[in-house]
Amino acid sequence: MIKKLIVKQNSVLWIIAVGIIIVPFILPNRYFQDIAVMTFLWAGLATSWNLYSGYCNRLSIGHAAFMGIGAYTSTLLYLNFGISPWIGMLAGGALSALTALLIGGITLRLKGTFFVLSTIAFGEILKVMTITSTEVTSGALGLMIPFQPGFANMIWTGKIPYAILAWIYMLVALFISVKLEKSKLGYSLIALGENQEAAENLGVNSTKTMMTAFILSAVLTSFGGTIFSQYIMFIEPTSVMGLSTSINFILLAIAGGLGTAFGPMVGSFILTPVSNLLRGYLAGISGLHGFILGMILIIILLYRPDGILPQLKLLSKRILQKLDKPKKGE
Amino acid sequence: MLLKIESVTKKFGGLSAVSDVSLEVEQGTILGLIGPNGAGKTTLFNCINGTLAITEGKIIFDGVDISSKKSYEIAKLGIARSYQIVQPFGNMTTLQNAMVGGFCKTKIYKEAEEIALRSLELVHLDHKKDIIAKHLNLGERKKLEIAKALSTQPKLLLLDEVMAGLTPIEVQEMVRIIHSINASGVTLIIIEHIMEAIMSLSKRIIVLNFGKKIMEGSPEDVSNSQQVIEAYFGVEEEELDA
Amino acid sequence: MEQILQVFISGILSGGIYALASVGLALIFGVVGLVNFAHGEYLMLAMYIAYWIFNIVGLDPYQSLLINLVVMAAIGYITFKVIMERVLDSDHSIQMLLTLALSMVLQNLALMFFKADYRNIRIDMTNDIMNIGFITLNTPRVLAFIIAIGASVLLYLFLQKTFTGAAMRAISQNGKAAQLMGINIKSIYCLAFVIGTTLVGLAGLLISPIYPAFPTVGASFSTLAFIVVVLGGLSSVPGAIIGGLFIGVIESFAGYFAGPAYQQAAYFLLFILVLIFKPNGLFGRS
């Protein structure tokens, strides 16, 4: 039984991922429920980012651009043409896929450092374009979504529906990650991240593999952007496309465990509540919140670059093994 | 003929690392490739499997011109290679390493796993299947190199000095492994410095020096050839004696 | 025509500063192999140091130059010893994320202590102009340009003419071979990092009379410096100098013809074009 548990650590993580939806229902007020929504949403976003960058070990630091595409597409369609954000979300995803195809075509063949720099450049270009196209996007001022509750508008009065939506989003991203880990695409991607030439010699088509994962990651990130904009009901270029947003994806993923399916979720479950509570309590001192997050990231990178999840797995394995021993003696 | 190389030349800048080499490999055989360091043996492997683009010449594999194909396409057609300096995917397990190759011809997880397990068995590494590759010792890594390549289910396998650095007992085991791979129907080209091993494996040997093919013949012909001894003379004499 | 020339000269003047801000980044990348995303933050720190010395002691940025540079060198040294030295052998992704985190920490530290306000240093010279023929130039900008180019050229000479400089070039070209030659690699790494942070600090100090200090001022310069070094071939110091001047001119013309909002877009576009067509840099060797 216990041996099976060791093998089935993923099932334990699945139980946590699915069971966590109880939490927002038992939280006392809107403030804490808001943190729960954000935790699920960021978990989904970080998991989406991880799909390409984590497994392939190639950092896309401009990835928030796709979140921005998702947020702006659905919002603009909704505001200008009254199109439901549900459809807007799909449209945003399609546009993100197209953008990823275009950007990927140029950047994916670049080697390490150049790739990372090029992702930043593309992210910044998109941000500058959004800021300068004031007639469409109202530039740096941002866009406000009017409060008209209704399922079709993806707007609700309470926090619970948002929590459920963000949770489903997280589960979808998670499900895709787990599937990826057990697929040709996943194996090829990880192998490419470790040694591109050796992988190609084993029949891995690096362009196709990277492109597929990059597009998948972009589309999922874009979905998160739509959910984010419908929840906050206000978007502006820096918050949905800025470098700090991209860094947050990375922070959560690496805190939990880069290139693992459940790592980004674990990272978000721990850091998003901490971060939000800090933001709440330290609101008086601007900068302290960001300072602490930066320090956490530095400490993780210096002392636990594998993240928390492998540590947790090791710990649970040891505990289970200890529990196992007396039984054998009987 | 499984593989036909027609006057292949590979130049780096002005220098020819491989110049005007032609050779043929018959289905089911083991061809030995020897020569002093820097003779162009590994470069020739890189040309065959598409890691390097050839400058001149033509390579025909199984009736298909692969001269300008990319390495992943060539792998799918059925040529696999091992590296002289082992290239494991360090953070994956032994089985996962082999499975990357296993996915070459299938998309189904279970099938890739079975193929990979079979290759691990063939190189006697199945008992280490759940070990993270970076924790393997050199002998095991060499075996893993072969298992990865085997998992792509090749018709032709290129082995680049898989015995270098191994103990005499490990060398004997490796010779047996290569024989069993050959027996399973895979054609091989092996680069090797350990003469005893190559003599016992190949019936035909090609000698390269300074990028040129200087001789082709049976192990006896080669070891008696004055030309070959001269090529090695003073450079790697001791290895010829070994 | 006169106006075009004015725009061109103005671009060259900015370009000198960009060159100085970038040579350190190229040096650190070439020698230490680190992609330092926190590079611009050292520029920001130097601007604040200049500001506070000016406000508390009353020394203008030029008078406090030496103190400022010593402090910047010390900060660079501490950063290297406390953080960078630990990850020299780590994965590139880890190194990049670490410098990214460092930039986040330094920016927020500045925000905590100095608030988001823009802080200007107004010295007598700030609005001085000089006329050369029909061209009007702002004196602090000219001064900044001369010192910046001087310092960049000095760095180049240091790399070419001294033993330590030769060691740096050797490491930049082939780290392992240099190790065999008996060069103490770690101390060379450290020196290169310190020189890099000090030079970008100098750039910050030079613009402090004409440009306000605020917590995120370094970020825009970081981005710019990255574009410059990519144009220059990533690890080449002369490449970074030429790249800096080039970007300055491009930016100036883009601002003149298309409006200030498109300045950034212009050099990002250039950056992408270079990545597509000349991934080894516009002035880099292949």
Side-chain angles (χ1 to χ4, degrees):
Chain A
M1 171 66 202
I2 282 165
K3 274 233 171 95
K4 263 188 193 157
L5 268 180
I6 295 174
V7 181
K8 299 265 174 190
Q9 273 175 334
N10 266 8
S11 337
V12 177
L13 286 162
W14 267 122
I15 292 167
I16 294 171
V18 174
I20 199 87
I21 190 60
I22 302 165
V23 174
F25 285 97
I26 53 174
L27 285 171
N29 55 37
R30 288 174 67 90
Y31 174 70
F32 287 109
Q33 284 172 352
D34 169 67
I35 292 179
V37 175
M38 280 306 186
T39 303
F40 299 160
L41 186 56
W42 281 110
L45 284 164
T47 308
S48 307
W49 175 84
N50 186 55
L51 269 179
Y52 173 75
S53 295
Y55 287 109
C56 198
N57 198 19
R58 284 159 62 96
L59 307 175
S60 170
I61 306 189
H63 221 63
F66 297 115
M67 182 174 171
I69 293 176
Y72 271 94
T73 308
S74 62
T75 303
L76 287 173
L77 288 177
Y78 180 62
L79 292 181
N80 296 321
F81 307 105
I83 294 171
S84 162
W86 294 102
I87 296 165
M89 182 157 85
L90 297 178
L95 193 59
S96 285
L98 220 63
T99 314
L101 191 70
L102 195 77
I103 295 178
I106 297 168
T107 61
L108 290 181
R109 67 195 162 88
L110 297 171
K111 298 267 176 261
T113 311
F114 283 101
F115 172 75
V116 176
L117 293 177
S118 71
T119 63
I120 299 180
F122 271 111
E124 290 294 305
I125 287 177
L126 217 64
K127 197 175 91 187
V128 171
M129 275 165 59
T130 312
I131 294 174
T132 47
S133 325
T134 40
E135 320 83 67
V136 187
T137 63
S138 72
L141 288 175
L143 294 167
M144 194 87 86
I145 299 172
F147 182 68
Q148 291 158 330
F151 181 82
N153 295 346
M154 213 193 269
I155 295 170
W156 294 278
T157 317
K159 301 273 178 191
I160 295 291
Y162 286 109
I164 295 172
L165 179 60
W167 171 72
I168 293 171
Y169 168 61
M170 177 190 88
L171 287 185
V172 168
L174 215 50
F175 181 76
I176 292 174
S177 297
V178 171
K179 277 276 168 218
L180 183 90
E181 282 189 349
K182 289 258 171 191
S183 74
K184 177 174 179 167
L185 180 63
Y187 273 76
S188 306
L189 205 57
I190 298 170
L192 277 176
E194 295 246 357
N195 186 332
Q196 185 162 348
E197 192 187 307
E200 283 173 354
N201 281 335
L202 295 177
V204 173
N205 180 344
S206 52
T207 317
K208 196 175 133 197
T209 303
M210 288 202 262
M211 191 62 102
T212 313
F214 192 60
I215 291 176
L216 200 61
S217 167
V219 171
L220 278 173
T221 306
S222 160
F223 288 169
T226 299
I227 299 173
F228 180 85
S229 62
Q230 292 305 111
Y231 178 59
I232 305 287
M233 301 181 66
F234 170 72
I235 51 170
E236 50 97 16
T238 325
S239 73
V240 291
M241 295 185 171
L243 192 61
S244 58
T245 307
S246 294
I247 293 177
N248 205 32
F249 300 160
I250 304 171
L251 170 67
L252 300 179
I254 200 155
L258 210 59
T260 61
F262 291 94
M265 177 192 83
V266 170
S268 181
F269 282 4
I270 295 169
L271 284 182
T272 310
V274 170
S275 161
N276 275 279
L277 291 172
L278 278 180
R279 208 197 299 268
Y281 292 123
L282 305 175
I285 314 161
S286 56
L288 187 54
H289 166 251
F291 171 75
I292 292 174
L293 283 189
M295 286 306 285
I296 293 176
L297 185 51
I298 289 182
I299 289 165
I300 292 172
L301 288 166
L302 286 182
Y303 299 102
R304 284 282 175 272
D306 286 343
I308 303 161
L309 190 61
Q311 304 293 324
L312 282 181
K313 282 195 172 179
L314 215 69
L315 192 73
S316 71
K317 201 173 175 178
R318 282 208 189 115
I319 293 171
L320 289 171
Q321 273 168 347
K322 267 196 185 148
L323 287 174
D324 208 13
K325 264 179 194 159
K327 271 192 181 168
K328 272 182 188 164
E330 276 167 19
Chain B
M1 281 311 142
L2 185 63
L3 181 76
K4 218 170 151 181
I5 295 179
E6 292 171 14
S7 42
V8 160
T9 297
K10 172 67 197 175
K11 285 184 183 165
F12 292 109
L15 293 168
S16 296
V18 171
S19 81
D20 199 27
V21 170
S22 298
L23 60 87
E24 294 184 342
V25 187
E26 210 171 316
Q27 176 88 42
T29 57
I30 302 178
L31 173 72
L33 198 57
I34 64 169
N37 283 335
K41 306 180 298 281
T42 300
T43 309
L44 187 61
F45 271 14
N46 284 332
C47 290
I48 296 173
N49 94 322
T51 304
L52 294 173
I54 58 176
T55 318
E56 280 164 43
K58 209 171 175 188
I59 303 174
I60 313 277
F61 174 69
D62 211 10
V64 183
D65 185 351
I66 58 166
S67 311
S68 55
K69 288 212 186 306
K70 296 202 174 70
S71 56
Y72 75 88
E73 294 169 322
I74 293 174
K76 283 203 194 317
L77 285 171
I79 300 182
R81 64 93 53 94
S82 78
Y83 282 95
Q84 182 184 358
I85 297 156
V86 291
Q87 313 261 2
F89 307 117
N91 293 313
M92 299 171 98
T93 66
T94 303
L95 178 63
Q96 286 169 339
N97 263 272
M99 280 180 68
V100 176
F103 277 116
C104 182
K105 297 251 169 76
T106 178
K107 283 196 164 183
I108 300 157
Y109 184 87
K110 277 271 164 239
E111 283 180 17
E113 193 178 21
E114 274 169 32
I115 296 165
L117 276 173
R118 245 181 287 133
S119 341
L120 288 177
E121 275 167 31
L122 207 55
V123 300
H124 313 154
L125 207 57
D126 43 327
H127 61 295
K128 297 264 177 174
K129 71 181 167 70
D130 295 321
I131 305 289
I132 303 288
K134 63 182 169 197
H135 300 312
L136 297 175
N137 66 34
L138 180 70
E140 290 162 349
R141 286 179 195 209
K142 292 263 181 187
K143 288 179 182 173
L144 179 57
E145 271 299 297
I146 302 177
K148 276 159 64 186
L150 271 182
S151 298
T152 66
Q153 298 177 300
K155 294 174 193 150
L156 175 67
L157 180 58
L158 315 174
L159 296 181
D160 195 348
E161 290 198 37
V162 286
M163 298 177 207
L166 299 188
T167 64
I169 294 169
E170 288 174 325
V171 168
Q172 283 175 13
E173 188 190 4
M174 195 61 95
V175 169
R176 284 199 301 274
I177 288 172
I178 294 173
H179 268 305
S180 64
I181 292 171
N182 185 233
S184 74
V186 179
T187 309
L188 291 111
I189 306 179
I190 52 176
I191 294 175
E192 204 50 66
H193 274 307
I194 302 172
M195 282 301 165
E196 238 173 60
I198 208 160
M199 300 277 176
S200 74
L201 282 167
S202 333
K203 295 200 177 60
R204 204 161 55 92
I205 290 174
I206 284 175
V207 188
L208 289 186
N209 195 23
F210 294 113
K212 290 196 178 70
K213 181 167 118 178
I214 57 170
M215 178 161 190
E216 177 169 357
S218 67
E220 293 75 33
D221 296 344
V222 169
S223 53
N224 293 330
S225 158
Q226 193 57 35
Q227 209 183 356
V228 173
I229 291 167
E230 267 168 27
Y232 274 90
F233 189 70
V235 187
E236 311 208 8
E237 199 182 3
E238 67 288 337
E239 276 175 4
L240 197 69
D241 296 338
Chain C
M1 184 61 216
E2 281 170 27
Q3 229 156 4
I4 297 291
L5 198 63
Q6 177 83 43
V7 173
F8 178 75
I9 300 279
S10 169
I12 288 283
L13 290 187
S14 314
I17 291 293
Y18 298 162
L20 180 61
S22 311
V23 284
L25 190 65
L27 184 75
I28 293 172
F29 181 79
V31 176
V32 196
L34 277 177
V35 177
N36 188 11
F37 284 112
H39 195 66
E41 267 53 69
Y42 294 91
L43 177 136
M44 176 265 295
L45 288 178
M47 290 183 81
Y48 275 113
I49 294 168
Y51 175 84
W52 289 112
I53 293 180
F54 178 68
N55 269 282
I56 295 169
V57 191
L59 295 174
D60 74 31
Y62 304 109
Q63 290 163 328
S64 68
L65 190 136
L66 261 183
I67 312 169
N68 201 332
L69 292 188
V70 170
V71 175
M72 287 315 296
I75 295 176
Y77 181 77
I78 293 168
T79 318
F80 185 84
K81 283 288 166 189
V82 175
I83 298 178
M84 300 307 168
E85 205 175 59
R86 294 160 184 265
V87 293
L88 289 176
D89 299 322
S90 299
D91 199 83
H92 277 279
S93 318
I94 301 282
Q95 294 176 345
M96 282 193 260
L97 287 176
L98 198 64
T99 62
L100 213 54
L102 181 65
S103 115
M104 191 171 158
V105 165
L106 291 175
Q107 269 180 35
N108 283 290
L109 215 55
L111 189 61
M112 275 159 65
F113 285 105
F114 310 132
K115 306 282 173 277
D117 310 339
Y118 280 39
R119 296 173 190 273
N120 289 292
I121 300 178
R122 298 242 147 248
I123 55 174
D124 298 339
M125 207 205 277
T126 298
N127 293 318
D128 275 7
I129 49 167
M130 42 206 266
N131 290 301
I132 302 169
F134 51 81
I135 293 165
T136 313
L137 299 172
N138 170 256
T139 312
R141 291 189 69 199
V142 175
L143 204 58
F145 174 79
I146 293 168
I147 299 175
I149 288 298
S152 305
V153 171
L154 266 181
L155 173 67
Y156 178 69
L157 291 177
F158 166 76
L159 290 174
Q160 295 296 325
K161 304 283 179 198
T162 67
F163 178 76
T164 315
M168 280 186 186
R169 280 186 294 127
I171 293 174
S172 179
Q173 270 151 25
N174 189 341
K176 276 192 189 128
Q179 206 154 19
L180 294 177
M181 282 158 57
I183 296 169
N184 182 347
I185 292 220
K186 266 214 180 128
S187 61
I188 297 277
Y189 282 172
C190 184
L191 185 63
F193 194 84
V194 169
I195 292 176
T197 53
T198 311
L199 288 179
V200 74
L202 177 61
L205 177 139
L206 291 173
I207 58 169
S208 62
I210 40 177
Y211 206 86
F214 50 94
T216 51
V217 65
S220 51
F221 276 90
S222 271
T223 320
L224 216 136
F226 271 109
I227 294 170
V228 167
V229 297
V230 167
L231 290 183
L234 219 54
S235 60
S236 152
V237 167
I241 298 176
I242 301 168
L245 295 173
F246 191 66
I247 286 289
V249 172
I250 293 276
E251 188 196 62
S252 189
F253 276 105
Y256 179 73
F257 286 112
Y262 293 94
Q263 282 183 338
Q264 258 196 316
Y267 54 68
F268 275 126
L269 199 67
L270 183 74
F271 179 75
I272 298 293
L273 290 177
V274 169
L275 281 178
I276 299 172
F277 296 108
K278 291 208 71 174
N280 290 310
L282 210 50
F283 314 109
R285 279 156 289 170
S286 59

